[in-house]
Amino acid sequence: MSKHSAKERSELLYKRALASLPGGVSSPVRAFHGVGGTPLVIQSANGSEIVDEDGNQYLDFIGSWGPLILGHTHPMLTQEIRRSVQQGTSFGAPSRPEIELAELVVESYAGIEQVRFVSSGTEAVMSAIRLARGATQRDLIVKFSGCYHGHVDYLLVAAGSGLATFGTPSSAGVPKPFAELTRVLPLDDEDALIKLFKKEGNKIAAVIIEPVPANNGLLLQRPKFLKTLRDICTKYGALLVFDEVISGFRLGLAGAAAHYAIQPDLATFGKVIGGGMPVGAFGGSKKIMKHLAPQGDVYQAGTLSGNPVAMSAGLKTLRYMIENQGWRKLEALGEYLEKKISTVLKTSPIPASLVRISSIFWIAWGSNTPPRSAESIHKNAVKYYKAVFHGLLNRGISIAPSAYEVGFLSLAHTKDDIDKLSNSLAYVLAENFSEFKFQNRSQENKKMTGSTP
Ligand SMILES: Cc1ncc(COP(=O)(O)O)c(C=O)c1O
């Protein structure tokens, strides 16, 4: 595979971008700060490939951070978007695709009787939490460290010192009093959960969790932990919110809720539900959703909410997945990837383990066993990842520019693409980490035994 070294146009454009866009980007991870170097400026994409401004082609495992379950510019979807645009780009009134997409979500996801559309995952989460607070007449919310729920003020919060102390802002601009209404718990820890609820359970409006935590690595949870969470929320009258912005419609039509057979009170969606267009959604039972304006007194609105073009794209994507057994195909592809990458990692000079669920995958660098909490990710994970990232990019493979981001497969990926990834990974590991040799690997294993569960 050719080296992708000519990046002059990307570099020039990015330099220009730095003058007019903060950090040169519209969303921070894109700036490559997690791995160093200059971001590629992308010109076009097709199937499983993206093309930069210098004309370099890359096999893409980012998939626009999750939405593109069919791959880039799927002809059927492109045609549908074109058709919809010709009928009008926005009506500011109800439309058929919006109603049909709502019906599909309601049919598919256990416990959701009604759904409201918004324009991003952040907006979905923000609105769902306001709804939970309005419906329960309580203020406190609980989140887990290692889960990301968008850039909502009261969710950009880190754990304070000690259990059940106030959360503290993890971003400048988040007022302390907002953060103080949020409690932050570690994942995978029933004791911490029970202790917090014993102390403050009657004041907790909602607990929000990514049932498949996929924003700080892929921290798959024990089903028992999720079940305990469900039970304790029920016991104390707090609403359980599954943030399925990544997992929703990626694991299947019925989300992580069906995968774990646990029904949340509210669920939030984004990414796949919009088929690559800006869509978010949240839903729950009629009993809860009736609190939303115009029926109820929890205010929530949006000029472009339920946008007909975005709704058409989401609807077409999901229908295509249903008609073509898309999730079954992705699972088969995921199994193939797991087999191939795991084989490479077995002889990796540095310890590493592959974590996969459906078409979402992540490599836990430095760890022999998959971590289940943010705290147990290996301290050298970022260092290892940087070398792997640039090695793969130079060989024409684009993975996320951050050690903590997962990879996504789409229906456009082939076994051949996965072979390319695994062969290139083997090459990059040998090229970059040969000095580690096997005795180092076993030393590293010993050092990190205490840091993984
Ligand atoms: C689980 C989860 N929730 C919420 C969000 C926020 O979604 P958006 O970026 O569309 O605002 C994300 C984004 O990655 C996410 O992964």
Side-chain angles (χ1 to χ4, degrees), residues 186-197:
L187 286 163
D188 189 43
D189 187 344
E190 281 93 338
D191 290 346
L193 185 64
I194 292 165
K195 217 162 150 187
L196 174 64
F197 267 86

Side-chain angles (χ1 to χ4, degrees), residues 104-105 108-109 248-255 258 269 318 321-322 327:
L104 182 53
V105 175
S108 308
Y109 196 101
F249 304 101
R250 178 151 289 271
L251 262 56
L253 266 180
F269 304 101
L318 297 185
M321 289 295 288
I322 296 166
W327 291 285

Side-chain angles (χ1 to χ4, degrees), residues 182-254:
T182 304
R183 304 290 180 262
V184 184
L185 293 176
L187 286 163
D188 189 43
D189 187 344
E190 281 93 338
D191 290 346
L193 185 64
I194 292 165
K195 217 162 150 187
L196 174 64
F197 267 86
K198 272 195 181 146
K199 189 167 174 227
E200 299 189 287
N202 296 329
K203 292 191 240 161
I204 294 170
V207 179
I208 183 161
I209 187 167
E210 288 179 82
V212 172
N215 276 289
N216 207 307
L218 187 54
L219 305 171
L220 298 182
Q221 296 300 289
R222 287 172 293 115
K224 185 171 166 287
F225 175 71
L226 295 173
K227 173 83 172 52
T228 305
L229 181 57
R230 172 65 280 179
D231 291 346
I232 206 160
C233 284
T234 306
K235 180 173 167 193
Y236 284 88
L239 301 186
L240 177 60
V241 183
F242 272 4
D243 182 350
E244 299 231 34
V245 166
I246 286 183
S247 52
F249 304 101
R250 178 151 289 271
L251 262 56
L253 266 180

